[in-house]
Amino acid sequence: MSIPRATARLQFNSDFTLGDALGVVDYYAGLGISHLYASPLLSARKGSTHGYDIIDPTRISPALGGEEALKKLVARLRQRGMGLLLDIVPNHMGVGGPENPWWLDVLEWGAGSRYAHWFDIDWNSPDPALKGKILLPFLGAQYGDALKDGQIELRFDDATGGFWFAHYDHRFPMAPSTYAQVLASDPALCETAASMRDAQDDQAGADAALRQHEANRAMLRSLWSKPDGRAALERVLAHYAVDTPDGLQRLHALLEQQHYRLTWWRNAAEEINWRRFFEVSDLAGVRVEDDDVFDATHACILRLYAEGVIDGVRVDHVDGMARPAHYCRRLREKLEALTDQRPPDAPGGAPYIVIEKILTGDETVRTGWKVHGTTGYEFMDQVSGVLHDARGADALQHLWVEVSGDARDFDTHVQTARRQLLAENFVGETDALVRALHAVARSDLATRDVSASSIRRVLTELLVTFPAYRTYVHDDGRDHEDQALLQTALDEARPRVRAADQPLLDLLARWLGGETPSSIADAGARALRLRAITRFQQLTPPLAAKSVEDTAFYRYGRLLSRNEVGGDPGRFAFSVEAFHNANLQRLRDFPHTLLATATHDHKRGEDVRARLAVLSELPQAWSESVRKWMTQHQPLRVDLGAGQFAPSAADQAMLYQMIVGAWPLHLAPEDHDGLRAYAERVADWQEKASREAKRQTSWVMPNAAYEQGSRDFLMRLMDGASCAPFIRDLRTWVDRLALPGVCNSLTQTVLRLTSPGVPDLYQGAEFWDLSLVDPDNRRLVDYDARRSALAAADTQQDFDRMLWQKAQIKQPLIQRVLQLRAEHPALFDEGDYIPLQARGAKSGHVVAFLRRHQGRTLLVAALRLPAQGPQPGSDEWGDTELLLPEVVAQWTDALSDRTVQGGAQTLPLATLLGERPVAVLVSR
């Protein structure tokens, strides 16, 4: 059981703890899940709703129940023959605030901290104000205003005996070297300050300085405990209070002597001198490539594996690391070395490892990484793509250009977003890369005259056109995939680079991967090259993610079902052949990768996407409705002046898609309270979407007038009294899309459960998943309803009656197929994958294949493009039939246990899909 049969992703937080998870083990076991797949469980920032802001990787979060609760959960899982996978976050940590002791130590001791090398900090910034300092962009206002308004205070902690600076929830330790100076500000403490200074002068080495500082703090704790000492220390604090001009200047002078420079949070983008997670300044990148950092941050994870508590890991944001391949191989080596220590009741075999990795175009995970695969974003894109009708692309593109006034394709949107982000959001990171490349240029006589300005100019074009998240070049050079990515970027960038800079473009390409760094004889030059390569490879992933997922996805609205994590909206649809080819490649290279259709990161729920995909089959009718609504609702838009309206035409057009796509199945036009509640959910999506788009408003500079105007427009639209005709129109569209959307959902579900790989179920998505972007998709799950439905499920009856409105039909389908996987594990783990062809008038409306292993054959057939094809209960399949490579006398219908007669090398689709959108047959 080292390889999961099926996983269920659970999102843990203070509202759903490890103790709460005990109550769902039996439910998931009954559904057929073999492994729970937990969101990060290590100690995260107080109040974290997701767990990715870890502040202490050495222990399980007390807020989630701690290690004791985790072990109780695992004991219950073992009773049901189940395992546990853990999402781990090796790339970054939560910083800021008072909770991360390693980060606080760096702030206290600066470059001399024993943890200073744990974080990617440039202690040699060319900015004189940051020489030997770390920028802290955590102030809520500009530094001068924050200081003047008393938002920064010097405080004393009587529990630790330490001085620190407070700014709301932030805690900035005071450098030990400034203690004597501070104490000397009060006559009663001058002698104490002098002895402290003398002791510091006598110390040699970091360990001695630390011991002396601990002694000093013990002395100050003792001093505080005495009335006279406490009064003196309180006078010291008052000496640095900003209620007088002198106090303000003294506090400022003291802050200038610290190992950090406090600044307004908006300065992070341009002045940051340390690596962040994306552009999030309270998540600091960790140098996990260093042995001691790896060992310290993975000690708890490795111990939990050795003790049999966890059975595998999902590695978050692998592309953020300096050396992802090296990390993955090392992680496997460390885990496998502990396998013999695991208890007898723990699953045997190799540890299960998957990585969160966005693959673009034809990119694949490198097979030498020793991982089982990815978290399944690429499958989510492929299975969604095969549900879209390529013939609808042109009409929907025409509508989009007409209503939005924007004729740019998706790739152009991405490049525009990249250019904007480089200029506004990643200035500091780009500066660091330019300096690294300039240092490479200065190290060689042949290139010493290359200027930093010219490097920035050419580098910008290379970054704007870079076609993937990153390359994986290191000291041993690059592989053919890296070379292909660099060549594509070169080809795209070349027309944008002026003639005089063409040689520099080629030079940068060689420096960033075209040459093998290990071939450089001079060690110093080689180190400079590797530093530049690392900077480049750690900049392109956040740039790609922010420009695509968090910007262009919200600017380009041809059809939002294709705007999903891991997807490419520029690729409107996948052919059946392309889907089969992806499955064949997956079976060959990563047969145990995860297969996802919903995640904690998705932009819209799997069944929202399945419903919206139907619009690709009805582009003309949808276009007519949108044109009508755009005209009718012009008076409802809010006039902001200067020709600006809220929402913009583009945002308005996307809003219609979201309202129809996520409309709850039971929401009636007469249910005014339900309409308001639904409108509130959509309003939250709308605000996030418009901020991510970074056009009329943004997270950095919110435009309150635009956001309020857009909200007012939405609320008017969803007013069941004043907009009743529109609400009835919407409900008509929802009804028109509902059954085809359900067919798409069930097709998507059965393909996920039977394609090569390990199916992953996102919490609650066994019912219809009409969620929106986070945090909407992380809401608590109603497990009572799901338990009741599972207990009452009758798959045959549900399919025959098509009780899709009640959501039961999806849940028993999952249960039946997972039972089949449990009965025939080798068939799914190792079975051949054989694409099937159909012939007949409706042959384009089915995707079908065989899985075959040691005499057992599984046949899967699923309806596609249902709005223009045969729907369940219709008699439209005619003579369309599947062509089989072998004759099977009888089949068992896995969804009903009925017998289906074979005996020929064809099967009529009227028999297979006449009453249902999916069929799963097993040879007898």
Side-chain angles (χ1 to χ4, degrees):
M1 205 182 74
S2 61
I3 303 297
R5 184 174 66 250
T7 63
R9 165 79 180 204
L10 301 184
Q11 293 296 119
F12 288 92
N13 52 53
S14 59
D15 294 324
F16 185 80
T17 65
L18 292 163
D20 296 319
L22 275 172
V24 304
V25 170
D26 288 344
Y27 165 72
Y28 280 115
L31 193 61
I33 297 297
S34 71
H35 288 68
L36 293 186
Y37 159 27
S39 63
L41 299 179
L42 299 179
S43 294
R45 185 178 288 119
K46 183 179 180 180
S48 175
T49 60
H50 48 74
Y52 288 98
D53 45 359
I54 289 172
I55 49 92
D56 184 358
T58 66
R59 60 177 181 151
I60 299 298
S61 172
L64 302 181
E67 192 165 322
E68 181 180 357
L70 174 61
K71 290 183 175 178
K72 288 180 180 178
L73 172 61
V74 172
R76 182 65 182 139
L77 290 170
R78 298 297 186 233
Q79 290 173 2
R80 295 306 305 262
M82 299 171 69
L84 180 68
L85 307 179
L86 179 60
D87 192 344
I88 63 173
V89 191
N91 173 67
H92 54 269
M93 284 185 186
V95 298
E99 299 171 283
N100 188 325
W102 295 332
W103 177 258
L104 294 176
D105 194 84
V106 174
L107 301 189
E108 187 171 23
W109 293 93
S113 167
R114 63 193 132 169
Y115 306 117
H117 71 287
W118 286 38
F119 304 96
D120 267 336
I121 303 167
D122 182 4
W123 296 103
N124 295 304
S125 171
D127 182 349
L130 287 176
K131 200 72 173 178
K133 293 177 181 283
I134 180 172
L135 186 78
L136 297 185
F138 298 129
L139 299 183
Q142 293 193 49
Y143 173 78
D145 292 334
L147 203 62
K148 179 183 63 178
D149 294 342
Q151 297 176 20
I152 307 172
E153 295 181 290
L154 178 64
R155 294 183 183 175
F156 179 78
D157 186 340
D158 60 298
T160 65
F163 286 102
W164 56 287
F165 301 95
H167 177 68
Y168 297 108
D169 293 335
H170 292 285
R171 183 186 183 109
F172 309 115
M174 193 173 82
S177 59
T178 58
Y179 271 57
Q181 169 190 329
V182 167
L183 293 175
S185 65
D186 188 81
L189 297 176
C190 284
E191 186 176 337
T192 301
S195 64
M196 188 178 292
R197 187 179 293 111
D198 291 341
Q200 286 176 343
D201 292 341
D202 292 339
Q203 299 305 319
D207 290 341
L210 179 60
R211 288 193 298 271
Q212 181 59 49
H213 186 55
E214 289 173 349
N216 291 340
R217 290 194 301 183
M219 177 185 64
L220 292 176
R221 287 198 302 272
S222 175
L223 195 64
W224 182 268
S225 67
K226 301 170 184 176
D228 289 347
R230 181 169 185 167
L233 287 171
E234 287 177 340
R235 289 195 298 272
V236 166
L237 298 179
H239 186 70
Y240 290 94
V242 299
D243 50 3
T244 67
D246 288 346
L248 188 151
Q249 288 301 320
R250 285 191 288 266
L251 181 61
H252 166 63
L254 181 60
L255 284 166
E256 290 290 275
Q257 298 176 66
Q258 304 307 308
H259 298 297
Y260 46 80
R261 182 171 184 263
L262 297 179
T263 190
W264 192 23
W265 65 271
R266 287 183 180 172
N267 287 342
E270 296 187 346
E271 296 186 347
I272 199 82
N273 67 334
W274 46 278
R275 182 170 64 88
R276 304 173 288 174
F277 171 74
F278 289 10
E279 55 179 350
V280 184
S281 296
D282 57 5
L283 295 176
V286 176
R287 291 179 53 85
V288 74
E289 64 271 19
D290 290 353
D291 290 348
D292 60 334
V293 180
F294 180 99
D295 292 342
T297 55
H298 287 69
C300 181
I301 295 161
L302 295 174
R303 177 177 60 81
L304 292 175
Y305 179 75
E307 294 175 357
V309 178
I310 62 173
D311 305 304
V313 294
R314 176 255 200 201
V315 180
D316 180 64
H317 191 49
V318 73
D319 277 341
M321 303 175 198
R323 302 177 64 189
H326 173 79
Y327 170 85
C328 291
R329 289 192 291 265
R330 183 175 187 196
L331 178 62
R332 175 162 297 284
E333 178 185 334
K334 290 279 189 178
L335 290 172
E336 288 184 345
L338 299 170
T339 299
D340 291 343
Q341 300 180 27
R342 287 165 61 79
D345 66 332
Y352 185 71
I353 303 174
V354 291
I355 56 175
E356 186 211 23
K357 163 70 181 156
I358 303 294
L359 300 171
T360 58
D362 297 325
E363 184 186 10
T364 61
V365 175
R366 315 299 166 89
T367 54
W369 287 21
K370 295 189 177 182
V371 297
H372 285 99
T374 73
T375 52
Y377 294 141
E378 68 278 6
F379 178 81
M380 185 159 64
D381 178 47
Q382 293 154 6
V383 76
S384 177
V386 82
L387 302 178
H388 285 70
D389 190 344
R391 296 169 297 183
D394 289 344
L396 290 174
Q397 177 69 14
H398 181 77
L399 171 68
W400 172 249
V401 171
E402 176 187 330
V403 299
S404 70
D406 190 342
R408 292 173 292 177
D409 61 15
F410 182 71
D411 286 345
T412 303
H413 274 287
V414 171
Q415 292 182 2
T416 301
R418 283 174 179 251
R419 200 175 297 279
Q420 178 181 346
L421 288 163
L422 287 170
E424 298 176 5
N425 300 60
F426 293 108
V427 179
E429 289 83 353
T430 306
D431 284 345
L433 175 54
V434 169
R435 288 196 299 272
L437 288 167
H438 195 221
V440 172
R442 290 283 177 90
S443 69
D444 190 330
L445 293 177
T447 57
R448 63 171 288 174
D449 286 343
V450 173
S451 70
S453 295
S454 64
I455 289 175
R456 176 182 292 278
R457 187 167 58 245
V458 175
L459 176 66
T460 296
E461 301 308 322
L462 197 62
L463 290 168
V464 164
T465 57
F466 197 76
Y469 266 56
R470 63 170 285 170
T471 53
Y472 301 94
V473 177
H474 201 62
D475 53 359
D476 52 357
R478 81 286 186 210
D479 60 20
H480 69 279
E481 293 180 71
D482 290 329
Q483 185 59 36
L485 288 174
L486 284 167
Q487 189 60 52
T488 299
L490 272 176
D491 293 343
E492 288 286 326
R494 198 170 299 283
R496 306 161 186 264
V497 172
R498 65 186 189 181
D501 285 336
Q502 293 288 334
L504 179 54
L505 177 63
D506 293 322
L507 185 62
L508 291 185
R510 292 202 302 273
W511 286 348
L512 295 172
E515 294 176 346
T516 302
S518 59
S519 65
I520 301 172
D522 181 80
R526 184 165 61 250
L528 290 174
R529 181 79 65 87
L530 287 173
R531 182 180 178 215
I533 289 171
T534 300
R535 292 264 185 205
F536 177 72
Q537 292 180 150
Q538 289 185 308
L539 174 56
T540 56
L543 180 61
K546 296 303 293 184
S547 61
V548 176
E549 300 164 31
D550 294 341
T551 306
F553 273 6
Y554 295 98
R555 292 181 176 182
Y556 179 75
R558 175 172 62 178
L559 187 57
L560 294 182
S561 48
R562 295 300 293 139
N563 295 21
E564 192 50 80
V565 178
D568 176 8
R571 184 172 185 175
F572 188 77
F574 277 70
S575 67
V576 173
E577 180 183 14
F579 178 77
H580 285 317
N581 288 340
N583 271 343
L584 286 166
Q585 184 179 48
R586 189 175 294 113
L587 178 62
R588 182 192 69 212
D589 296 335
F590 294 99
H592 300 125
T593 188
L594 283 186
L595 306 178
T597 48
T599 77
H600 63 287
D601 275 336
H602 66 230
K603 303 302 182 185
R604 57 211 102 245
E606 64 178 47
D607 299 315
V608 177
R609 297 194 305 273
R611 186 189 291 176
L612 288 175
V614 181
L615 296 180
S616 69
E617 302 180 65
L618 307 170
Q620 298 299 342
W622 176 251
S623 298
E624 291 172 7
S625 290
V626 170
R627 290 186 182 101
K628 179 180 72 173
W629 295 335
M630 297 286 285
T631 300
Q632 288 178 345
H633 299 149
Q634 176 61 29
L636 301 183
R637 297 169 72 200
V638 177
D639 189 346
L640 301 177
Q644 299 293 313
F645 290 86
S648 68
D651 288 350
Q652 183 182 354
M654 287 189 280
L655 178 62
Y656 293 135
Q657 290 186 51
M658 286 304 298
I659 294 175
V660 168
W663 187 283
L665 288 169
H666 298 293
L667 181 57
E670 302 79 23
D671 182 0
H672 291 186
D673 289 340
L675 289 172
R676 279 192 293 273
Y678 179 48
E680 289 292 339
R681 286 181 55 213
V682 176
D684 290 341
W685 167 85
Q686 180 180 239
E687 178 181 271
K688 181 169 184 173
S690 58
R691 288 185 179 184
E692 296 284 22
K694 305 172 189 67
R695 291 187 294 197
Q696 283 77 22
T697 184
S698 69
W699 295 106
V700 175
M701 292 287 288
N703 182 337
Y706 181 82
E707 292 177 2
Q708 186 61 49
S710 297
R711 180 183 177 85
D712 291 345
F713 174 82
L714 171 60
M715 294 305 169
R716 292 167 189 165
L717 278 189
M718 298 297 287
D719 187 320
S722 61
C723 263
F726 171 65
I727 299 296
R728 288 194 295 271
D729 262 4
L730 281 177
R731 185 67 223 196
T732 298
W733 263 106
V734 171
D735 291 341
R736 186 174 184 179
L737 299 176
L739 183 55
V742 164
C743 292
N744 278 344
S745 296
L746 298 180
T747 291
Q748 179 173 249
T749 299
V750 83
L751 293 178
R752 171 168 54 88
L753 296 172
T754 57
S755 291
V758 176
D760 175 44
L761 172 73
Y762 183 65
Q763 59 176 28
E766 63 273 28
F767 275 21
W768 303 125
D769 177 18
L770 298 175
S771 61
L772 307 175
V773 73
D774 66 278
D776 190 79
N777 62 2
R778 301 176 187 178
R779 290 176 296 164
L780 289 177
V781 176
D782 184 351
Y783 283 109
D784 289 338
R786 284 160 176 78
R787 289 188 195 93
S788 298
L790 191 63
D794 183 336
T795 309
Q796 178 59 44
Q797 185 184 72
D798 288 347
F799 269 117
D800 288 348
R801 297 180 182 179
M802 281 301 289
L803 297 178
W804 48 268
Q805 301 96 328
K806 296 183 179 180
Q808 284 100 327
I809 193 171
K810 187 178 174 187
Q811 186 193 50
L813 171 63
I814 293 170
Q815 184 190 40
R816 282 295 186 105
V817 181
L818 291 184
Q819 286 174 346
L820 192 63
R821 291 184 70 101
E823 293 166 6
H824 307 287
L827 181 62
F828 292 92
D829 283 348
E830 306 169 26
D832 296 334
Y833 181 91
I834 304 168
L836 296 181
Q837 301 293 320
R839 68 183 177 195
K842 302 296 183 180
S843 61
H845 291 276
V846 63
V847 54
F849 53 84
L850 299 180
R851 302 296 307 274
R852 187 168 56 190
H853 183 263
Q854 294 184 351
R856 178 75 65 182
T857 302
L858 175 81
L859 186 152
V860 177
L863 174 64
R864 64 183 294 264
L865 309 184
Q868 298 298 325
Q871 292 188 2
S874 68
D875 187 22
E876 300 177 14
W877 282 108
D879 63 352
T880 307
E881 57 189 2
L882 278 184
L883 307 179
L884 304 180
E886 60 187 28
V887 175
V888 175
Q890 285 188 333
W891 301 88
T892 297
D893 184 340
L895 304 181
S896 68
D897 295 327
R898 293 183 300 190
T899 297
V900 176
Q901 293 301 320
Q905 284 197 295
T906 62
L907 271 177
L909 281 165
T911 300
L912 289 177
L913 302 178
E915 299 298 325
R916 316 170 187 165
V918 295
V920 181
L921 308 183
V922 183
S923 64
R924 286 198 167 186

